[in-house]
């Protein structure tokens, strides 16, 4: 579509002649919308965008069906990565708790993974509920207060310090032996059998040694292992008492 503008300067300015001789001005402006919707234009708006600007617009399906599919935006991160869930780290940390004598890889403790600890706490609470003990409130209360207390102690004792979420992650992963104790409680009543009371000593020592080793390795506090192990032992003893009684 061409637009022309004609200036009749003799009528506008009387008998004065134009000084620059611009009596006729013509533009070659083309409207992309009118060209795209014209009769001779074939194809979609995306094809027109690609032919005009050299790049194609990404086509993303927007419907309720796409919400249940595997598609998404280009270069979009996986959902588990956005939530901070790494199954390889969960597996590595769990194996480190099961085998505390194996040398630790400090790189797996750089993140504050809470997926594993929350799963272990949920399983422990389920085992206690199946054995007739509804202790979910006590589990979360003791876990919260104990984590904050140990975090404060570690920051006072170490030079570099440690984040509270990182502390909670290590304490939560090392709770796994207590979860095993809760599973045994489904078959054995610890209160009615005297050997059952002594059965809690091994999980407490296991949890204490694993978590103390991890804290000492991460914070480089090898000379303060016993000082770190004492509050950690009290922390896991509280969970063992909830499991036994």
């Amino acid at each position: 579509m061409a637009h022309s503008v004609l200036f009749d300067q003799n009528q506008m300015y009387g008998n004065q002649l134009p000084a620059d001789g611009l009596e006729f001005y013509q533009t070659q402006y083309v409207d992309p919308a009118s060209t795209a919707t014209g009769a001779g234009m074939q194809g979609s708006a995306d094809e027109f965008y690609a032919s005009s600007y050299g790049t194609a617009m990404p086509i993303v399906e927007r419907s309720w069906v796409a919400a249940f599919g595997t598609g998404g935006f280009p270069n979009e991160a996986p959902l588990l990565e956005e939530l901070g869930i790494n199954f390889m780290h969960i597996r590595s940390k769990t194996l480190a708790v099961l085998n505390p004598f194996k040398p630790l890889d400090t790189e797996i403790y750089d993140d504050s993974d809470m997926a594993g600890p929350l799963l272990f706490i949920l399983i422990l609470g389920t085992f206690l509920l199946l054995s007739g003990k509804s202790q979910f409130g006590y589990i979360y209360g003791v876990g919260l207060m104990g984590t904050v207390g140990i975090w404060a102690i570690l920051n006072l004792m170490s030079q570099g310090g440690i984040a509270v979420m990182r502390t909670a992650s290590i304490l939560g992963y090392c709770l796994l032996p207590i979860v095993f104790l809760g599973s045994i409680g489904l078959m054995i009543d610890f209160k009615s059998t005297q050997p059952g009371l002594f059965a809690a000593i091994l999980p407490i020592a296991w949890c204490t040694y694993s978590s103390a080793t991890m804290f000492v390795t991460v914070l480089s506090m090898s000379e303060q292992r016993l000082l770190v192990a004492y509050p950690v032992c009290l922390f896991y003893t509280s969970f063992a008492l909830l499991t036994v009684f």
Side-chain angles (χ1 to χ4, degrees):
M1 178 184 297
H3 302 276
S4 301
V5 181
L6 181 61
F7 297 92
D8 190 359
Q9 298 185 4
N10 290 331
Q11 295 180 0
M12 296 175 59
Y13 303 103
N15 295 328
Q16 297 179 1
L17 295 177
D20 51 0
L22 295 177
E23 298 180 358
F24 181 81
Y25 178 74
Q26 183 177 0
T27 62
Q28 298 295 330
Y29 173 74
V30 178
D31 190 359
S34 62
T35 306
T37 57
M41 182 65 184
Q42 299 293 334
S44 62
D46 293 333
E47 295 176 353
F48 171 74
Y49 184 90
S51 61
S52 301
Y53 301 100
T55 57
M57 297 178 62
I59 301 175
V60 180
E61 185 180 1
R62 295 182 177 90
S63 64
W64 66 273
V65 179
F68 297 94
T70 57
F73 293 98
N75 301 324
E76 183 181 10
L79 179 60
L80 294 179
E81 183 178 345
E82 293 182 353
L83 295 176
I85 300 176
N86 190 331
F87 286 107
M88 294 303 297
H89 280 193
I90 294 176
R91 177 178 175 272
S92 301
K93 293 179 181 180
T94 304
L95 293 177
V97 175
L98 295 177
N99 187 10
F101 300 101
K102 182 181 178 180
L104 295 177
D105 184 8
T106 57
E107 293 183 358
I108 64 176
Y109 295 99
D110 292 338
D111 60 344
S112 301
D113 175 30
M114 292 299 298
L118 291 177
L119 178 62
F120 294 158
I121 289 176
L122 181 61
I123 294 175
L124 177 61
T126 303
F127 285 157
L128 296 181
L129 183 62
L130 293 177
S131 60
K133 307 171 187 175
S134 180
Q135 306 283 9
F136 279 100
Y138 291 103
I139 290 175
Y140 286 110
V142 172
L144 178 61
M145 298 302 296
T147 300
V148 174
I150 293 177
W151 166 74
I153 293 174
L154 292 177
N155 280 281
L156 292 175
M157 294 174 59
S158 62
Q159 296 181 354
I162 187 172
V164 62
M165 296 301 296
R166 198 175 179 185
T167 305
S169 178
I170 295 177
L171 292 174
Y173 273 103
C174 294
L175 190 66
L176 187 58
I178 302 294
V179 178
F180 292 154
L181 181 64
S183 64
I184 298 175
L186 295 176
M187 301 175 289
I188 300 175
D189 187 5
F190 294 116
K191 292 185 293 184
S192 60
T193 57
Q194 186 175 1
L197 298 177
F198 295 97
I201 297 178
L202 179 60
I204 293 174
W206 192 349
C207 295
T208 302
Y209 183 82
S210 299
S211 60
T213 302
M214 293 180 185
F215 284 127
V216 167
T217 304
V218 172
L219 297 176
S220 301
M221 301 168 57
S222 58
E223 297 180 357
Q224 298 174 323
R225 180 184 295 269
L226 295 178
L227 295 178
V228 174
Y230 177 70
V232 171
C233 180
L234 295 179
F235 177 78
Y236 291 113
T237 301
S238 301
F239 281 97
L241 292 176
L242 291 176
T243 304
V244 172
F245 298 100

